[in-house]
Amino acid sequence: MKAALDAPEIHRGLDDVYVKETSICFIDGERGRLLYRGYDIRDLARHSSFEEVVFLLLQGRLPNRAELESARAELAAARPLAPSVLKLLRSMPEHAPPMDVLRTAVSYMSGFDPERDDSTQAANMRKALRITAQLATIVATYERIRKGQRVLRPDPTLGHAEDFVRMVTGKRPDPTWARMMDVAMVLYADHGMNASTFGATVAASTRADLHSTIVAAIATLKGPLHGGAIEDALGLVETIRRPEAAREFIVNKLRNKEKVPGFGHRVYKTYDPRALIMKEYARQLAESKGDDTYFRIATAIEETVVGELASKRIFPNVDFYSGLVFHRLGISTDLFTPVFALSRAPGWTAHVLEYWEDNRLLRPLDWYVGPKDLAYVPLDERA
Ligand SMILES: CC(C)(COP(=O)(O)OP(=O)(O)OC[C@H]1O[C@@H](n2cnc3c(N)ncnc32)[C@H](O)[C@@H]1OP(=O)(O)O)[C@@H](O)C(=O)NCCC(=O)NCCS
């Protein structure tokens, strides 16, 4: 393609630009529908597990019983970290943000991957499982280290979500809570060509290795307009403190043209189906803990934003109620985005592997609007 001579149409934010065909994830933003490989997210949330969804996203179909067992075993076997990675986690600067630690650790552990120099499809599929397995252990291990607690080794007899909560909190979660974390991981496992998946895809298009694509994805997820919103959403609820104060606080915020974290979406113009599931979990947890203050603040925020911004079609996205759920499950606030990352690993890797089936270097253009033909002024003659 030749560069345009007349000012081209610029797609700010790449709105409405398609970069590939996919059979991984379908989002109908008008009707609030989300499918993984053709299956409705609500069915997957009801019947499936994170391990099954990992298989589904990577292999393109649901596993049979034996395949699921073997996917579970493979993930469990890959959860332990190499001693050198543990050493790295222990040497991270005090108070390092866990997202930075995760990004650094993935970059570091690529050097120790047993198939580092093998980029065949089969090796990449195994790496995808290893990366998915180890992200959870990195996040949990760093949490224990920074709190001065004993690091817990992964337990291969537990499901991935349950083991993650156990490694973070130090105790096996109640089965209902373990299931909530499992479903949250299912809900976060993929979401089409979002910013972090695009980040991974740009790196993939240069034929960088799989670990590098995940480092790019983690870096892109960190920002408050993407994964970081999940932490800000809980912060907002904590700041408001009383349900009665929510309406006025939010109206003022909107008057000041500030964005409300956990609301709005580039694709959804109605309720994000994942938000509805997380809202129900947040309600159940508030009820079971006998304290619904945060939940009532959250619903008051929702009512205000949805009412005030009806003409802009702004609704809660998945991050708004997830923070409440993770908080109740005993996860520290600055681990929310890392939990998003470790859940999204199968989606990122599935998209990268799909992109490599028909790879093309991603190389957009920018339209130059600066000066041309300036005369070079020698250093001594400059004012
Ligand atoms: C996610 C997000 C970046 C998508 O935004 P987008 O497609 O770029 O949409 P825009 O930012 O252009 O928003 C369109 C309009 O809705 C408003 N809007 C969007 N999200 C809003 C929010 N969370 N709070 C208040 N107003 C919001 C914008 O101010 C804008 O209004 P304007 O037309 O008067 O300028 C945006 O909704 C946002 O910043 N949300 C908060 C962060 C968040 O929750 N991120 C997680 C996403 S999963």
Side-chain angles (χ1 to χ4, degrees):
M1 194 188 92
K2 285 210 183 89
L5 292 177
D6 300 325
E9 185 187 349
I10 292 182
H11 299 275
R12 282 188 69 242
L14 299 182
D15 295 32
D16 304 322
V17 172
Y18 290 82
V19 294
K20 71 175 169 83
E21 289 186 346
T22 185
S23 55
I24 298 173
C25 184
F26 172 75
I27 310 169
D28 181 342
E30 289 295 327
R31 280 186 249 170
R33 251 188 118 203
L34 169 61
L35 313 178
Y36 293 169
R37 300 280 190 190
Y39 296 98
D40 195 297
I41 195 69
R42 288 165 299 193
D43 289 332
L44 294 171
R46 205 169 298 133
H47 305 295
S48 190
S49 63
F50 182 68
E51 284 88 338
E52 187 168 71
V53 163
V54 170
F55 187 101
L56 174 67
L57 290 171
L58 286 169
Q59 304 287 347
R61 62 181 175 82
L62 286 171
N64 61 31
R65 193 173 294 278
E67 288 168 331
L68 178 58
E69 279 317 310
S70 116
R72 250 189 242 278
E74 240 180 290
L75 266 182
R79 276 204 290 277
L81 300 177
S84 48
V85 177
L86 258 171
K87 209 164 140 197
L88 172 85
L89 295 177
R90 290 191 193 282
S91 71
M92 289 303 288
E94 214 186 329
H95 309 306
M99 274 301 270
D100 294 4
V101 173
L102 185 63
R103 192 192 58 229
T104 305
V106 173
S107 188
Y108 184 74
M109 79 188 189
S110 68
F112 299 94
D113 193 275
E115 294 176 289
R116 188 190 64 191
D117 300 323
D118 187 347
S119 286
T120 56
Q121 165 84 0
N124 278 330
M125 200 60 101
R126 290 188 290 272
K127 285 186 204 179
L129 272 187
R130 278 198 290 277
I131 290 170
T132 299
Q134 292 176 2
L135 256 54
T137 320
I138 292 169
V139 173
T141 302
Y142 181 65
E143 172 72 345
R144 306 282 299 175
I145 290 172
R146 71 174 175 164
K147 286 188 167 167
Q149 296 165 330
R150 189 169 60 87
V151 168
L152 300 179
R153 288 184 59 75
D155 179 346
T157 65
L158 302 184
H160 195 67
E162 180 174 9
D163 201 24
F164 171 69
V165 178
R166 183 195 62 86
M167 285 192 285
V168 169
T169 63
K171 49 182 189 291
R172 257 186 94 167
D174 168 290
T176 320
W177 297 7
R179 177 63 189 150
M180 283 181 186
M181 180 53 85
D182 194 29
V183 172
M185 287 188 179
V186 166
L187 299 182
Y188 274 109
D190 193 42
H191 209 234
M193 193 46 68
N194 55 85
S196 54
T197 302
F198 184 59
T201 308
V202 172
S205 81
T206 71
R207 280 283 177 190
D209 61 283
L210 193 62
H211 283 82
S212 297
T213 68
I214 302 309
V215 173
I218 295 170
T220 315
L221 182 68
K222 188 182 174 191
L225 295 187
H226 193 8
I230 188 172
E231 297 173 19
D232 296 344
L234 181 75
L236 178 69
V237 171
E238 285 172 330
T239 306
I240 294 179
R241 288 177 44 211
R242 289 181 306 114
E244 306 73 45
R247 183 168 176 80
E248 193 186 335
F249 189 97
I250 295 298
V251 167
N252 279 333
K253 202 171 169 64
L254 296 177
R255 208 167 279 146
N256 294 334
K257 303 253 169 265
E258 289 172 42
K259 294 240 179 109
V260 184
F263 285 83
H265 201 274
R266 180 64 59 82
V267 183
Y268 292 115
K269 298 303 162 198
T270 181
Y271 274 89
D272 175 339
R274 302 167 302 169
L276 295 173
I277 297 169
M278 292 315 279
K279 181 179 180 179
E280 175 53 21
Y281 282 169
R283 190 192 63 72
Q284 287 175 20
L285 281 166
E287 204 169 89
S288 74
K289 303 251 179 181
D291 178 3
D292 64 357
T293 312
Y294 277 15
F295 184 70
R296 286 195 296 128
I297 295 172
T299 52
I301 296 173
E302 177 189 333
E303 238 176 81
T304 311
V305 174
V306 171
E308 294 288 316
L309 299 183
S311 61
K312 294 183 187 173
R313 302 207 286 164
I314 303 293
F315 295 88
N317 58 52
V318 64
D319 296 337
F320 187 61
Y321 285 103
S322 299
L324 255 60
V325 171
F326 294 155
H327 174 70
R328 288 291 195 186
L329 295 182
I331 310 288
S332 307
T333 306
D334 61 357
L335 291 195
F336 295 176
T337 314
V339 170
F340 182 159
L342 64 92
S343 310
R344 183 58 57 86
W348 286 331
T349 47
H351 280 275
V352 166
L353 295 180
E354 185 182 65
Y355 195 78
W356 277 336
E357 284 169 21
D358 185 22
N359 191 67
R360 180 163 173 82
L361 176 73
L362 279 162
R363 202 317 186 176
L365 297 167
D366 50 358
W367 180 247
Y368 181 74
V369 294
K372 290 175 182 161
D373 305 324
L374 293 181
Y376 183 81
V377 182
L379 184 58
D380 290 343
E381 293 170 26
R382 287 179 224 157

